Amino acid sequence: MNKVLFHILLFLISITVSFSQTKNNLIKIVADDRAEGDQFGWSTSIFKDYCVVGTPEKKAKSPVGNRLWQEGGSAYIFQKNTKGNWIQTQLLLPDKPKESDYFGTSVSMYDDFLAVGCNGDDTINHNSDFLNRMGAVYIYKLDKFDKWKKTQKIVLADRTNADNFGDE
């Protein structure tokens, strides 16, 4: 009889613990300028009060004229405020967005550093050294004003066509 009561008590305790552990606080964040097909959330990374969300298929504006490039990509920065709400604070883009750059394919954040993959990047040094889809990784550092500033664009030293460096 004591074993039966013990097992019933143990079962009730486990149910109580299970219900208390399944309570969650899901928060949905969206981009201010979201559009169908952007692939918002393709890649994400959170560190402390910052979250970066990659959108590799977001249309990007051409640096010359008003042309929109398909799949230029972007990365959104969200910061948690004192009330615990995630607020969009910044939009990151590649240096010179082009069609099929896929900036934001991969993202990673740690401490004051952020890496954003751009696996479709074709060029280095202002359109010289063209290699189709060689890829790149952009490195950002958090400044004292809570803004992410690009510090470096990394490409492979032995790059070739279709390396897709910066992919997941």
Side-chain angles (χ1 to χ4, degrees), residues 55-61 68-75 92-94 96-105 117-118 120-121:
T55 57
E57 295 192 14
K58 180 174 181 55
K59 292 178 182 166
K61 287 185 181 177
L68 284 178
W69 296 109
Q70 300 293 325
E71 292 106 18
S74 66
L92 304 176
L93 299 167
K96 293 188 174 190
K98 294 182 309 310
E99 192 148 354
S100 302
D101 270 351
Y102 299 106
F103 183 85
T105 297
C118 186
D121 190 281

Side-chain angles (χ1 to χ4, degrees), residues 78-120:
F78 293 85
Q79 185 175 6
K80 192 188 315 181
N81 66 16
T82 55
K83 294 180 181 178
N85 298 318
W86 291 93
I87 307 299
Q88 183 180 321
T89 58
Q90 204 170 346
L91 175 65
L92 304 176
L93 299 167
D95 290 337
K96 293 188 174 190
K98 294 182 309 310
E99 192 148 354
S100 302
D101 270 351
Y102 299 106
F103 183 85
T105 297
S106 59
V107 294
S108 183
M109 179 182 286
Y110 182 76
D111 201 23
D112 291 345
F113 291 95
L114 165 64
V116 180
C118 186
N119 69 316

Side-chain angles (χ1 to χ4, degrees), residues 3 7 16 51 76-77 130:
K3 282 186 179 182
H7 282 80
T16 304
C51 174
Y76 291 87
I77 303 293
F130 178 85

Side-chain angles (χ1 to χ4, degrees), residues 114-135:
L114 165 64
V116 180
C118 186
N119 69 316
D121 190 281
D122 297 327
T123 58
I124 316 168
N125 300 330
H126 310 289
N127 295 330
S128 64
D129 198 12
F130 178 85
L131 291 171
N132 188 38
R133 298 189 59 76
M134 69 175 177

